[in-house]
Each structure stands twice: as structure tokens, then as C-alpha cells.
Amino acid sequence: MPVTVVQAESLYAQAIAQVQLSPKLRHKTEQQLQESQTVENISVDLPRFHQQVSPVQKTEHFCGLCHDDLPHGENLQVRSFLNMHTTYISCETCHFRPEAYTLEQQWVDVKSGDLLNQTQAQFPSKTGIIRPFYQQQAVSLKTDHALFKKIADHWQQMPIAEQAPLKARIHTPLEEKGLACRSCHDSEQKILNLKQLGASVDQQQAITHNSIARFLAQNEDNKQPTPLIRLIDLLN
């Protein structure tokens, strides 16, 4: 008799399933959804910043079911720099940081979802995005996952009372504030294995000693509001 191999749930899916939903969290989420109904979402189609030809058609991804391609808008001074990262780094890379788990970042083809051959891929990849993996399995929910399909097909028809617990469970395992700049733009960073991802020595140096990231990190350390960025500040 043939043996059927059942693939384990992704780490993010497991985290969603383990969320203990309190009445307080449910009520807070319902209020957020009610407020969001009055806000008009504007979708902007921009090319990938590191690709000079027409943009690659991305596959649908879980976060993109509700968030557009430019999700960072709260901090006007740095939103352009944050949104630039979304063209080549997945949301989970910065916002899904489970304790006691070490995740490995890999380039994934945006069309097929398959791992890219790192011996042939350019850095940054023109057709890929960096996604976190755990035990050789992508953390992200795939398009054939039941929760992915439920939200993609039925979210707009759901009443708020049904949307709220779903939204709360999905976001509870995520960190609202993403990684600090120095998490990747520092010689001691542990998030990205730049060499494994295909970066040359010069590219590794440019990323870990990025002037803009250092400037922003100084304001984070001093707990000061991010000022308007001037070229003279970056050259000092």
C-alpha cells in the first residue's frame, strides 16, 4: 500500500492556529474594521526599484490579499525607504519573528514560488523575493492553503463579526513594528546570510554599511522622531 506523505503546516499557519482570542482583542479588531470601512484604499502600480524593464507579474501572496504593494505609510519621512524593501523582501521577513526558531532566508521566484538556483541568481534577483523558511518549508501561507482561499474568496462577503476573529488571529503572531535598520544593515546582522543569498563582497559591504540605514539607526538609538533626510546628513 502506498504511503501518503502529509506536509506539516507552515510555521506561520501553526502560530495562527495557536492564538488564544480574548474578548478584548476581538472587540478591538471589530472597531478597527469598522473604522477602516470609511477609508478608501488606493492601489499604486510601480516597477521594482532594482529592475529597469517592465515589472514582473507577482504571484498572489497572503499579506497582499488585504495590503497593497506599498503598505508603509505611517512615518512620512521613511515610508519610501521601507516600501522600497517590499519589492524584494517579503512581509514575513520583517514582521514574523517567532521566539526559539531560527529562520533561513532564501530567494523565491515571484511567478512560480519555487526556490531560485543561488549559483545562477543575480543579487538582487530580478525575478525573486526573499522569503523566510523553516526546516526547508516556506513560512508564508501558499495559495492552496484553506485559510488563504477562504480570505481570497469570501472576505468581502463576511460580516465584521466573522472578519474580526480572523484578522486578530492572522496578525497576533506578527510584530507590528518591523525590524530595525541595523538588523540587516550592520556588520553584526544575523537576519540575512548575504553571501548565501548571492551578494558579492562589494554588495555585502554596501548593505552592511549603508549610509541611510546608519542615519536612521542613530535617530532610533536616541529615541528621536525621524527628521527629514538631507543629503549633507548622509555624507557626514
Side-chain angles (χ1 to χ4, degrees):
M1 179 180 293
V3 177
T4 301
V5 178
V6 179
Q7 189 177 29
E9 282 274 39
S10 73
L11 201 58
Y12 180 36
Q14 293 178 44
I16 292 173
Q18 294 169 3
V19 171
Q20 299 295 320
L21 191 61
S22 67
K24 182 178 180 180
L25 179 58
R26 181 193 293 264
H27 178 67
K28 178 182 177 181
T29 309
E30 285 183 357
Q31 286 185 317
Q32 291 173 343
L33 288 169
Q34 289 169 350
E35 293 171 359
S36 68
Q37 287 185 342
T38 63
V39 178
E40 180 181 0
N41 292 321
I42 300 176
S43 179
V44 181
D45 184 18
L46 295 178
R48 301 160 64 83
F49 91 100
H50 57 72
Q51 185 176 358
Q52 301 304 314
V53 295
S54 58
V56 172
Q57 181 64 41
K58 293 185 180 180
T59 39
E60 210 171 23
H61 62 96
F62 188 60
C63 298
L65 292 176
C66 298
H67 298 276
D68 61 30
D69 288 340
L70 304 174
H72 306 99
E74 183 175 346
N75 190 325
L76 300 182
Q77 282 74 32
V78 299
R79 64 183 180 183
S80 294
F81 297 103
L82 296 178
N83 284 325
M84 177 184 70
H85 287 69
T86 64
T87 64
Y88 57 97
I89 296 179
S90 71
C91 306
E92 297 89 349
T93 299
C94 290
H95 293 278
F96 182 64
R97 308 196 296 274
E99 296 182 5
Y101 292 96
T102 301
L103 305 182
E104 180 184 13
Q105 312 296 331
Q106 300 189 50
W107 285 108
V108 174
D109 187 88
V110 296
K111 288 184 177 179
S112 66
D114 297 332
L115 285 174
L116 290 177
N117 185 338
Q118 296 306 310
T119 61
Q120 298 176 354
Q122 292 180 316
F123 185 96
S125 169
K126 292 183 178 180
T127 61
I129 190 168
I130 296 174
R131 292 196 180 280
F133 279 70
Y134 178 69
Q135 294 184 343
Q136 300 181 333
Q137 183 177 353
V139 163
S140 310
L141 294 186
K142 296 182 178 180
T143 55
D144 60 355
H145 192 278
L147 182 56
F148 192 112
K149 289 183 175 181
K150 181 176 182 179
I151 293 177
D153 297 338
H154 305 295
W155 180 262
Q156 297 299 331
Q157 291 75 42
M158 292 180 189
I160 288 181
E162 189 176 348
Q163 289 178 342
L166 267 180
K167 182 178 187 294
R169 292 182 188 280
I170 289 166
H171 288 84
T172 296
L174 304 175
E175 299 287 344
E176 183 176 357
K177 184 176 176 59
L179 292 169
C181 295
R182 280 183 175 157
S183 299
C184 296
H185 297 283
D186 187 272
S187 58
E188 300 299 323
Q189 67 94 8
K190 306 295 183 183
I191 303 298
L192 301 178
N193 186 331
L194 296 172
K195 181 178 180 180
Q196 180 181 319
L197 289 169
S200 67
V201 174
D202 289 342
Q203 288 172 326
Q204 294 175 47
Q205 179 75 8
I207 292 171
T208 55
H209 294 79
N210 183 274
S211 298
I212 296 176
R214 288 206 311 269
F215 175 78
L216 297 177
Q218 290 174 359
N219 289 281
E220 286 180 344
D221 293 343
N222 297 329
K223 298 182 179 179
Q224 297 294 324
T226 305
L228 292 174
I229 297 175
R230 302 178 303 170
L231 288 177
I232 188 64
D233 295 321
L234 303 178
L235 297 174
N236 289 337

